[in-house]
């Protein structure tokens, strides 16, 4: 699926949920009126989750608080997850002190229920780290992210891809502290994980190579960026399913870097050759 298709599907989902939201809120009101606690909880969950998806965090706060209030002092194990969701909403609204308190409380309950190394601790730790980043507490965020990564690797293995979001936030935190060397190391680690998982010549490494190349570009490290894009080209050329048109993106990247560095560009010659040979390439791409 192309990036445009993903974007379109995301927009369609958003519009569907936006249209559904009034009915969810009505169901929530009805659930509150009938003598069925479980129906009321389900209606609150539906409302909260729909409001989060459409980024109506003020509305989601009411639903999230209602869920926590309904389960408080009941011994229901679902309370911990609902506290974590409340913390997430509070962080988005900038209520960072309340968010921190609820993240820590939710984590404590989850650890009591499932143990200190449980897989389900990773998401709330990640959320806590992001709330610290929202408040400019980057050193504390890094400590929490490192702990979350340790839990991730203990549960899913050293080279699982689920940890890439943790690494992304870690790199942002280091950059925010001005530590560009550590941020660069983390970006390289992100690629290394993908290479160990898929193999150096696998097309599945391309998004990771491109991510590192873009990081180098934004850091004005043109030579290092070119190395990553050149690797993408080599992987694509070794892939039997690739074609000339699929090479256009990376050839354009290489050409722009060569022009910026005022160097001879074999990529530019290759790009021109493909454009001359493939008359069906859309005008916008040309």
């Amino acid at each position: 699926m192309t990036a445009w298709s993903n974007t379109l599907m995301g927009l369609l989902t958003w519009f569907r949920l936006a249209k559904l939201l009034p009915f969810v809120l009505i169901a929530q009101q009805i659930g509150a009126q009938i003598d069925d606690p479980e129906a009321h909880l389900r209606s609150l969950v539906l409302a909260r989750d729909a409001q989060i998806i459409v980024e109506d965090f003020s509305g989601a706060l009411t639903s999230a608080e209602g869920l926590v209030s309904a389960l408080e002092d009941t011994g229901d194990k679902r309370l911990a997850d609902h506290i974590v969701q409340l913390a997430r909403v509070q962080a988005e609204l900038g209520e960072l002190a309340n968010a921190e308190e609820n993240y820590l409380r939710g984590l404590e309950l989850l650890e009591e229920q499932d143990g200190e190394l449980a897989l389900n601790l990773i998401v709330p730790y990640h959320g806590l780290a992001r709330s610290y980043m929202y408040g400019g507490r980057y050193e504390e965020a890094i400590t929490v992210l490192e702990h979350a990564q340790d839990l991730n690797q203990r549960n899913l293995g050293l080279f699982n891809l689920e940890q890439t979001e943790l690494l992304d936030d870690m790199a942002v935190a280091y950059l925010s502290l001005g530590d560009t060397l550590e941020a660069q190391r983390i970006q390289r680690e992100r690629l290394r994980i993908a290479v160990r998982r898929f193999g150096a010549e696998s097309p599945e490494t391309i998004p990771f190579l491109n991510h590192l190349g873009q990081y180098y570009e934004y850091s004005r490290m043109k030579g290092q960026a070119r190395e990553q894009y050149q690797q993408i080209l080599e992987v694509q050329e070794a892939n039997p399913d690739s074609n000339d048109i699929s090479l256009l993106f990376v050839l354009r990247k290489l050409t722009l870097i060569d022009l910026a560095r005022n160097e001879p560009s074999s990529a530019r010659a290759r790009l021109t050759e493909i454009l001359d040979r493939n008359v069906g390439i859309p005008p916008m791409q040309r």
Side-chain angles (χ1 to χ4, degrees):
M1 185 177 289
T2 65
W4 167 247
S5 299
N6 285 328
T7 302
L8 183 59
M9 290 299 293
L11 287 171
L12 288 173
T13 301
W14 191 94
F15 282 123
R16 289 191 189 109
L17 285 166
K19 292 174 69 175
L20 180 64
L21 187 55
F23 300 101
V24 171
L25 295 175
I26 291 171
Q28 178 183 339
Q29 294 171 357
I30 294 172
Q33 294 168 4
I34 62 177
D35 188 19
D36 186 344
E38 282 302 315
H40 179 47
L41 290 175
R42 286 195 297 272
S43 66
L44 284 171
V45 170
L46 282 171
R48 181 201 64 196
D49 292 350
Q51 288 161 324
I52 287 174
I53 289 173
V54 299
E55 299 184 359
D56 175 17
F57 295 111
S58 295
L61 180 63
T62 301
S63 305
E65 288 175 335
L67 280 161
V68 171
S69 177
L71 294 178
E72 198 74 75
D73 300 323
T74 63
D76 194 312
K77 290 187 176 182
R78 294 174 293 180
L79 175 62
D81 288 326
H82 291 314
I83 290 173
V84 168
Q85 286 298 318
L86 172 59
R88 176 189 173 189
V89 172
Q90 289 170 327
E92 292 291 344
L93 290 171
E95 299 179 9
L96 300 182
N98 290 335
E100 179 182 13
E101 181 180 346
N102 280 313
Y103 270 127
L104 292 173
R105 184 185 174 206
L107 282 162
E108 183 180 0
L109 290 173
L110 289 171
E111 287 176 358
E112 289 175 0
Q113 292 169 191
D114 304 315
E116 295 181 353
L117 302 178
L119 180 64
N120 62 352
L121 297 175
I122 297 170
V123 170
Y125 270 121
H126 194 180
L128 176 62
R130 284 190 169 172
S131 73
Y132 286 153
M133 291 172 70
Y134 292 160
R137 297 162 64 181
Y138 299 111
E139 292 179 349
E140 292 167 275
I142 290 167
T143 300
V144 173
L145 288 166
E146 287 173 344
H147 182 61
Q149 186 187 19
D150 179 61
L151 289 175
N152 170 285
Q153 292 179 340
R154 285 173 179 268
N155 283 276
L156 302 175
L158 290 176
F159 304 110
N160 77 87
L161 299 180
E162 299 297 322
Q163 62 190 300
T164 54
E165 288 190 13
L166 298 171
L167 291 170
D168 286 341
D169 279 355
M170 216 180 291
V172 171
Y174 274 114
L175 282 174
S176 299
L177 289 171
D179 191 342
T180 56
L181 290 178
E182 191 61 22
Q184 184 178 331
R185 182 195 67 78
I186 290 170
Q187 294 290 355
R188 290 199 304 268
E189 174 68 11
R190 191 180 188 277
L191 173 61
R192 189 177 74 88
I193 290 168
V195 170
R196 290 293 297 267
R197 177 70 180 271
F198 299 119
E201 297 180 359
S202 171
E204 290 179 282
T205 64
I206 289 176
F208 296 87
L209 288 164
N210 186 55
H211 184 94
L212 182 55
Q214 289 180 329
Y215 169 77
Y216 282 136
E217 270 198 277
Y218 296 147
S219 301
R220 299 184 179 182
M221 302 166 71
K222 299 290 187 181
Q224 290 91 330
R226 196 187 193 291
E227 289 177 9
Q228 305 309 313
Y229 296 135
Q230 183 64 38
Q231 287 186 52
I232 292 175
L233 181 61
E234 292 170 5
V235 170
Q236 287 182 314
E237 289 177 324
N239 178 18
D241 294 329
S242 67
N243 54 56
D244 283 349
I245 295 178
S246 70
L247 303 180
L248 290 178
F249 172 79
V250 69
L251 286 172
R252 175 178 176 273
K253 286 281 192 181
L254 289 166
T255 300
L256 287 171
I257 291 174
D258 291 339
L259 290 172
R261 300 173 75 191
N262 197 27
E263 294 181 353
S265 179
S266 58
R268 182 179 185 181
R270 182 94 177 272
L271 188 61
T272 302
E273 177 189 343
I274 291 173
L275 291 172
D276 288 342
R277 187 168 60 244
N278 292 274
V279 296
I281 295 174
M284 281 297 292
Q285 290 207 44
R286 290 183 178 279

